[in-house]
């Protein structure tokens, strides 16, 4: 069953990767993600809990339906689904965007003070303080409250700034400031998911509109992977400074599986809570 599922999503990825469909189209992203998840599971299925064939059959039905939708969408016209940089893009500029960026900047000191409070007054730029900050949010259920919305706002502004800079080759200073503010929020948020979010918001629009090709995509992926490893080392999750390279590699691989394959396996179980 898994082999059939892997074959369906792989063929779907190949079909959606045709030049007429455009780079970074929704079908290509969809089938690539599922091919990665199913592929990793098939290579390490022995280390997961047993999964019933019925569960994978339901997943297969959903993927076959997606494949049929892909066939219908790609066969509508010879042009298919083409997204290029000539498309009309609405980018809010001027006072509105600048005001939003100022709000995100002003909220950084407030977020830092809240982070110090959550870490018990410990310096969050040390491993001990950073782990205390992370523990207060994951184990004690504390958070930044309304300040978390400024983090999301900062990521959105960075996405808009990078697209605007790619189209007009102006606003480089504002783009740099926006990215730095987003990185500050990511650091204080302690979550590696925020790194992925920022990467998608900044890189995917550039790929869709043709500003970034394969080399740029690989370089961007490497940069965000280094950031991911940095946060993992600070929180001692997946990477440990005092561990060897082989131990770190194995731990990091298991950690990556918990972010990709494990959620799918978790959906295969239905547990009764309470009496």
């Amino acid at each position: 069953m898994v082999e059939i599922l892997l074959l369906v999503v792989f063929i779907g990825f190949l079909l959606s990767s045709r030049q007429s469909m455009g780079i970074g189209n929704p079908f290509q992203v969809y089938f690539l993600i599922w091919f990665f998840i199913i592929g990793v599971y098939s290579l390490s299925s022995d280390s997961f809990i047993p999964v019933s064939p019925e569960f994978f059959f339901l997943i297969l039905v959903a993927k076959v339906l997606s494949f049929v939708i892909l066939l219908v969408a790609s066969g509508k016209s010879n042009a298919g689904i083409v997204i290029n940089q000539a498309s009309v893009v609405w980018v809010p500029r001027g006072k509105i965007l600048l005001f939003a960026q100022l709000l995100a900047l002003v909220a950084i000191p407030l977020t830092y003070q809240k982070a110090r409070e959550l870490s018990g007054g410990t310096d969050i730029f040390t491993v001990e303080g950073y782990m205390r900050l992370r523990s207060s949010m994951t184990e004690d259920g504390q958070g930044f409250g309304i300040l978390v919305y400024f983090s999301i706002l900062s990521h959105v502004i960075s996405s808009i700034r990078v697209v605007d800079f790619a189209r007009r080759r102006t606003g480089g200073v504002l783009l740099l400031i926006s990215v730095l503010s987003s990185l500050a929020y990511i650091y204080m948020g302690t979550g590696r998911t925020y790194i992925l979010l920022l990467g998608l918001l900044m890189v995917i629009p550039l790929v869709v509109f043709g500003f970034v090709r394969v080399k740029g995509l690989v370089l961007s992926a490497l940069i965000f992977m280094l950031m991911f490893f940095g946060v993992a080392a600070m929180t001692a999750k997946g990477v440990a400074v005092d561990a060897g390279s082989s131990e770190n590699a194995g731990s990091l691989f298991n950690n990556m599986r918990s972010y990709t394959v494990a959620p799918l396996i978790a959906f295969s179980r239905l547990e009764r809570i309470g009496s």
Side-chain angles (χ1 to χ4, degrees):
M1 186 68 67
V2 177
E3 291 76 12
I4 299 176
L5 179 59
L6 189 63
L7 179 62
V8 170
V9 294
F10 178 67
I11 296 177
F13 172 70
L14 292 180
L15 182 60
S16 61
S17 298
R18 295 181 302 170
Q19 187 175 3
S20 60
M21 296 288 291
I23 300 177
N25 65 79
F27 291 107
Q28 186 182 47
V29 175
Y30 176 83
F31 283 107
L32 176 60
I33 292 175
W34 276 103
F35 176 71
F36 175 79
I37 294 175
I38 302 301
V40 173
Y41 171 78
S42 64
L43 294 175
S44 56
S45 58
D46 295 337
S47 61
F48 288 101
I49 60 175
V51 180
S52 64
E54 291 80 7
F55 174 74
F56 279 116
F57 176 75
L58 291 176
I59 300 295
L60 177 61
V61 171
K63 301 310 152 215
V64 170
L65 179 60
S66 301
F67 186 80
V68 171
I69 296 175
L70 170 62
L71 293 177
V72 174
S74 61
K76 274 190 173 183
S77 63
N78 294 329
I81 303 173
V82 181
I83 305 176
N84 53 50
Q85 59 183 346
S87 302
V88 178
V89 184
W90 179 78
V91 179
R93 300 188 306 276
K95 295 182 179 180
I96 297 178
L97 186 60
L98 185 59
F99 177 72
Q101 188 166 356
L102 287 175
L103 284 179
L105 288 173
V106 170
I108 289 179
L110 300 176
T111 306
Y112 173 73
Q113 291 297 328
K114 184 63 176 180
R116 286 291 300 267
E117 177 185 332
L118 294 175
S119 65
T122 310
D123 185 6
I124 64 172
F125 294 102
T126 63
V127 175
E128 179 185 359
Y130 202 67
M131 291 185 65
R132 286 190 179 185
L133 173 61
R134 179 65 177 173
S135 176
S136 68
M137 291 188 290
T138 57
E139 298 180 8
D140 301 334
Q142 302 184 55
F144 289 93
I146 195 173
L147 292 173
V148 73
Y149 292 105
F150 291 99
S151 173
I152 300 174
L153 176 64
S154 178
H155 296 345
V156 173
I157 293 172
S158 295
S159 179
I160 296 174
R161 289 291 188 196
V162 74
V163 172
D164 196 35
F165 177 78
R167 295 176 67 233
R168 303 174 184 275
R169 292 295 188 269
T170 58
V173 175
L174 292 174
L175 170 61
L176 178 61
I177 294 174
S178 180
V179 172
L180 291 177
S181 65
S182 295
L183 294 178
Y185 281 112
I186 287 175
Y187 182 85
M188 291 183 287
T190 72
R192 286 161 291 180
T193 307
Y194 300 122
I195 298 175
L196 177 61
L197 175 62
L198 179 63
L200 292 176
L201 287 176
M202 294 190 64
V203 176
I204 296 301
L206 296 180
V207 173
V208 170
F209 293 106
F211 296 115
V212 171
R213 299 301 180 183
V214 177
K215 291 183 179 179
L217 186 60
V218 172
L219 179 60
S220 300
L222 290 176
I223 292 175
F224 282 99
M225 283 181 62
L226 290 175
M227 293 169 56
F228 189 93
F229 295 156
V231 174
M234 290 291 290
T235 55
K237 288 189 174 182
V239 177
V241 179
D242 55 346
S245 57
S246 59
E247 295 178 354
N248 278 330
S251 178
L252 186 62
F253 176 73
N254 291 330
N255 195 256
M256 290 292 292
R257 290 195 309 161
S258 68
Y259 275 84
T260 54
V261 182
L264 173 66
I265 306 304
F267 272 111
S268 68
R269 289 297 181 98
L270 179 63
E271 299 291 343
R272 182 183 298 272
I273 300 177
S275 57

